[in-house]
Amino acid sequence: MMIWRIKARQYTRATLVALLTALAVQPVMAGTQTLSVLANSEKVGFVNVLHEDHRVSVDYHVDNNGRGPKLHADIALNDEGMPVDWQISGRSLMGGQISETYEWQNGVANWQSQADSGSTKQPAPTLYITNDSTPWETAHYVKTVWAQPGHRLAVVPAGELSVERLQTISLDGDVAATVYRMTGRGLTPDYVLFDNNMMLFAVLGSNQLTIREGFESALARLSALYGELEMSRVQTLQQRLSHSIDGRYAVKNAYLFNSQNGTRQGPVNVVVENGVIQLIAPVSKSAVIRDLPYFDAQGGTLIPGLHDMHSHTTLDSGLWYLAAGVTNTRDMGNNNAFLVDLIEQLNHKTLAGPRIVKNGFLEGRSPYSARLGFVVDSEEDALEKVRWYHDNGYWQIKIYNSMNPDWVPAITREAHKLGMGVTGHIPAFTNPDAMINSGYDEISHINQLMLGWLLEPGEDTRTPLRLTAMQRATGLDLNSDKVQRTIAHMANEDIAIDPTAVILERLMLSRAGTVSDADAPYLDHMPISYQRYRKRTFVPNLTPEVDTAYRDSFSKLLAVIKRLHEQGVQLLPGTDDTSGFTVHREIELYVEAGLTPAEALITATLGSAAYMGNDEQLGSIEEGKKADLVLLAGNPLNDISAVRKPRLVIKDEQVYFPAEIYRALGVVPFAEEVSFSSNEE
């Protein structure tokens, strides 16, 4: 039996009486439940739930790739399942401390979390949306909202949840499970399955699935079900948000960013037909677009579609990317079957999304293995998987933290023999110079490069140390022999880097209760739960001295980016994210590091296209090339942050309006839609 713990010092006698009255009467639920957390077919964690009358205790533990939340929650519920007291403690994804509280008493709801604190008058208890949650919370929200009139409910701190019942399926062991979809909490829906007694059976997700212990064999079926449900949803959005124009049309009165020389030229009219740029002519020659349907750019800037060179594609990421003007991505690791199917859907235009270049994820077996792509147990197994990736159209191999460094030379030889490149993390217990000598063509993440200058022998980067050790960069001398030697090595061997500075900024500098510079330009446009999620501390054991060290070290990181650029190392702007907003921030960070806006923009357009061998069709705005165009409201050469406000996105034969996409996704648009006329009078 669980012993319910109430911190008496927090309550007066009257408060305790009110709380016990709210908890009295009939039990909500009783018993225990254990669920398994699965990723890429392997168990990576658990959820233990104990119900005692109106009290619930939840333990949630995930260890995937050396990281994952470890949470404990104690919840007190009233008869309607509404919380009156909620205590959460533990560690977040990368080990940041969590202490979150919520209570309702005497008509007032009070809360405090990493993100914020506040109170609001609430005549009766309602749902509180936690900032750090477990799968049990997700299921509880669904069950409670489903019981409300219209299956909708306003929640604290803000927002409204809605739930719909989708279908019932039969599973092994004579279990029938009903699928519910909830929207309103975050950027994507939540899918939860309950049995006939409304007991939690599973919580579905794109990269992680939580399922009742003993039913792990249903993983494949439930993963497929999740894919079918989300596929149907995003296909419907594509039909609604993708537009096509028959015949020739024009974008008139636009300035062009020339990604070959970094200048802004115009104004011009651009004629497109069948997804190809047919003509670029000065506005003074207006006769060339007479009688054509047109978009009026109103003096805005046309740039080539942006690239994210470090993506992990999801079903819903396509619309987020397109709305941000990102029309080209490189997927750096995924569920292989999912990615192959997704690209086929994109090619048939049944899904919205950028073009995708596939990289094959290759990880070694260890207690810290990341569950993506293939996890291999031997050198021969690794070589077999390299051949599989080649046969299935992958462009590069991406090596991860737990790979045995001794296997890397054979992996790179096999990949190069097959015409593939090799990129990746620096495996634990080796260094960047050794991996370049072993055949790497590129390095993923600037911290993976810098850790070679910061770590002591034997330190293990399969753990969160690959983040926390970055605070040591505050004392790094960029003129030291070890730094200059590695950068010269990269320049001499033509080794590129995909820095993902934006994700390092987010992890190193995000602080509880504040909005980071990375998120400030867009965050107040987002749903409330996402806003709160972004206001958190990721690094553990944060003191004023450690905070200063991280901030100084991030400045040093930007100085390394500048040094790399100055010495001719190619920068490939990637994000390790899928929202598109982080692509904008990555480019901004290059400018903060010392690149000009034009140089930063070239890295994300022609530079990336040329690196992947696609520059004959992409990367610049020229007659005969694909219509891969993004219309910005402003001039990015004056202010690089103008990339944050696309008004029109053209990807081959398809036309998208970012404002329309954002409204469909529950986001306040950032710029007005561009006007369209069927012809010019």
Side-chain angles (χ1 to χ4, degrees), residues 275-453:
V276 175
I277 299 170
Q278 297 289 344
L279 180 68
I280 301 173
V283 165
S284 58
K285 297 183 179 180
S286 58
V288 300
I289 64 166
R290 184 174 298 155
D291 300 326
L292 289 182
Y294 68 88
F295 296 98
D296 187 355
Q298 298 176 315
T301 306
L302 274 176
I303 65 171
L306 298 172
H307 288 68
D308 186 344
M309 295 295 282
H310 195 125
S311 173
H312 295 281
T313 311
T314 65
L315 263 179
D316 61 285
S317 63
L319 284 170
W320 290 103
Y321 271 131
L322 292 175
V326 180
T327 57
N328 307 278
T329 64
R330 179 176 59 163
D331 190 289
M332 295 289 275
N334 220 308
N335 177 294
N336 295 326
F338 161 79
L339 188 61
V340 170
D341 179 66
L342 182 87
I343 291 175
E344 183 176 352
Q345 298 270 1
L346 289 171
N347 291 339
H348 286 88
K349 299 180 175 59
T350 54
L351 288 183
R355 304 171 191 87
I356 299 174
V357 171
K358 298 178 295 185
N359 272 13
F361 193 93
L362 202 57
E363 169 70 307
R365 177 75 59 186
S366 86
Y368 303 98
S369 299
R371 273 72 175 187
L372 284 176
F374 291 121
V375 180
V376 298
D377 299 290
S378 67
E379 181 178 297
E380 184 52 44
D381 188 17
L383 299 182
E384 178 184 333
K385 297 306 187 292
V386 170
R387 292 188 282 270
W388 185 95
Y389 279 129
H390 169 264
D391 293 344
N392 285 273
Y394 286 72
W395 187 63
Q396 282 181 319
I397 297 299
K398 180 190 176 184
I399 291 173
Y400 211 64
N401 295 318
S402 292
M403 181 59 65
N404 186 332
D406 293 340
W407 303 346
V408 172
I411 292 170
T412 60
R413 283 195 302 271
E414 186 70 14
H416 292 159
K417 182 176 73 175
L418 296 171
M420 304 174 73
V422 178
T423 183
H425 289 209
I426 305 302
F429 313 118
T430 187
N431 60 73
D433 290 287
M435 291 301 95
I436 294 170
N437 290 334
S438 294
Y440 267 39
D441 303 291
E442 178 191 332
I443 294 172
S444 293
H445 307 296
I446 195 162
N447 63 314
Q448 293 288 321
L449 170 65
M450 295 176 66
L451 289 171
W453 308 323

